[in-house]
Amino acid sequence: MSSVGYLDAIVLGVVEGLTEFLPVSSTGHLTVAEGLLGLKIDDPAVTSFTAIIQFGAIVATFLYFRADFVRLALAWLRGLGPARGRHHAPDPDYRFAWLVILGSSPIVVVALVGKDLIDGPLRNLWVVAGSLIAWSAVIWWAERNPRQEYEETELGVREVLIIGLMQCVALVPGVSRSGATISAGLMVGATRVAATRLSFFLAVPALTGAGVYSLKDVNTEVVGWGPMAVGTFVSFLVAYAAIAWLLKLVAGHSIAVFNPYRIVAGLVVMGLLATNVLSAT
């Protein structure tokens, strides 16, 4: 049984933090990195490790958007009070907080129902490679002529549900959760920055749920608490920097700039698989 050491944890922490919020698929990159490190990619202990170190990215998101999260949480709690208060003084933050909750719901249901498929047949490097290439076409289509009409507080239930449903597609390794949600946001008319910020907000429930659920598969014979802590801390540091960089990038650039990398990465993985440098599972 292969085990995850400190160097493995650092490498995987960097990969997680760097790719979690970029539209290049963190799960896909982690799966490839695990294969290159000689780890068994379908070992529940290894998959739980990669889910748990996502807590680092979650903390980075909370810290970077702390003012937004506090404002939304307070508005939501106030909104749970007497209904007449909400009628007399509608609070867009209260409404948006509910939209984030609503948009996060589909992935919870799909992840639980499809767990065996996600952790089984889909956790395959051929799937990762194919998804990296195929989803690039969706990103290209979404960026062809985006309307960019709506800011995040102007989005409605329909738009957020579409984005939430599209997030479920990212359970397929190689698609990219941020790539799916930002593309969906552009398709329903959100500005690129609004779609990206909403992607961050939707990430917190999704990643938290995945991490907590994966705690049951922790096996300290494969991954000790020390490497797990190191991997989580490294992912936090790298993710925080990646968030700031991505927000600056999308303010003036299309996310399709990542497509050449996605396509090349997919082709490289296919080449490594075809030459038996990597094993598909």
Side-chain angles (χ1 to χ4, degrees):
M1 180 183 292
S2 59
S3 61
V4 178
Y6 283 98
L7 181 58
D8 298 327
I10 292 171
V11 171
L12 294 175
V14 170
V15 172
E16 160 59 25
L18 186 61
T19 61
E20 181 58 57
F21 299 116
L22 303 185
V24 296
S25 178
S26 62
T27 304
H29 279 73
L30 284 168
T31 305
V32 172
E34 289 162 5
L36 291 172
L37 290 170
L39 302 173
K40 190 170 175 57
I41 64 176
D42 58 354
D43 185 335
V46 174
T47 57
S48 73
F49 168 76
T50 56
I52 290 168
I53 63 173
Q54 291 174 338
F55 279 124
I58 296 169
V59 174
T61 307
F62 268 120
L63 282 180
Y64 195 90
F65 294 104
R66 57 190 176 277
D68 297 285
F69 279 114
V70 170
R71 190 184 74 250
L72 291 173
L74 291 176
W76 186 75
L77 291 172
R78 283 195 303 269
L80 295 178
R84 64 177 182 277
R86 295 198 298 275
H87 292 319
H88 290 167
D91 189 342
D93 286 335
Y94 172 78
R95 174 179 173 276
F96 186 68
W98 270 115
L99 288 178
V100 171
I101 294 171
L102 180 65
S104 302
S105 301
I107 197 168
V108 174
V109 176
V110 174
L112 290 175
V113 172
K115 183 181 184 304
D116 291 341
L117 177 64
I118 296 163
D119 291 342
L122 290 181
R123 198 164 177 82
N124 182 296
L125 289 181
W126 283 110
V127 173
V128 171
S131 299
L132 280 167
I133 296 170
W135 197 260
S136 298
V138 179
I139 292 175
W140 171 80
W141 178 263
E143 285 282 14
R144 281 187 67 198
N145 189 25
R147 302 198 312 272
Q148 299 202 69
E149 295 178 55
Y150 307 123
E151 296 301 335
E152 60 196 54
T153 55
E154 297 174 308
L155 294 169
V157 171
R158 173 182 169 275
E159 289 79 16
V160 172
L161 266 180
I162 290 173
I163 295 169
L165 287 169
M166 190 73 87
Q167 184 174 223
C168 298
V169 181
L171 292 170
V172 178
V175 168
S176 168
R177 193 199 56 78
S178 60
T181 51
I182 295 172
S183 297
L186 292 172
M187 288 177 184
V188 299
T191 66
R192 196 176 288 111
V193 172
T196 303
R197 282 172 55 85
L198 181 59
S199 175
F200 288 128
F201 293 136
L202 293 179
V204 172
L207 299 183
T208 302
V212 171
Y213 188 81
S214 296
L215 287 172
K216 66 180 180 57
D217 292 321
V218 169
N219 182 347
T220 54
E221 292 183 3
V222 179
V223 188
W225 291 111
M228 205 171 296
V230 168
T232 303
F233 181 66
V234 171
S235 76
F236 158 73
L237 292 177
V238 179
Y240 192 90
I243 292 171
W245 181 78
L246 181 61
L247 285 172
K248 289 179 182 178
L249 177 75
V250 298
H253 298 84
S254 159
I255 63 168
V257 297
F258 291 97
N259 276 352
Y261 170 78
R262 290 178 58 99
I263 293 169
V264 170
L267 292 173
V268 167
V269 173
M270 286 182 175
L272 293 174
L273 289 168
T275 54
N276 294 318
V277 174
L278 280 175
S279 172
T281 58

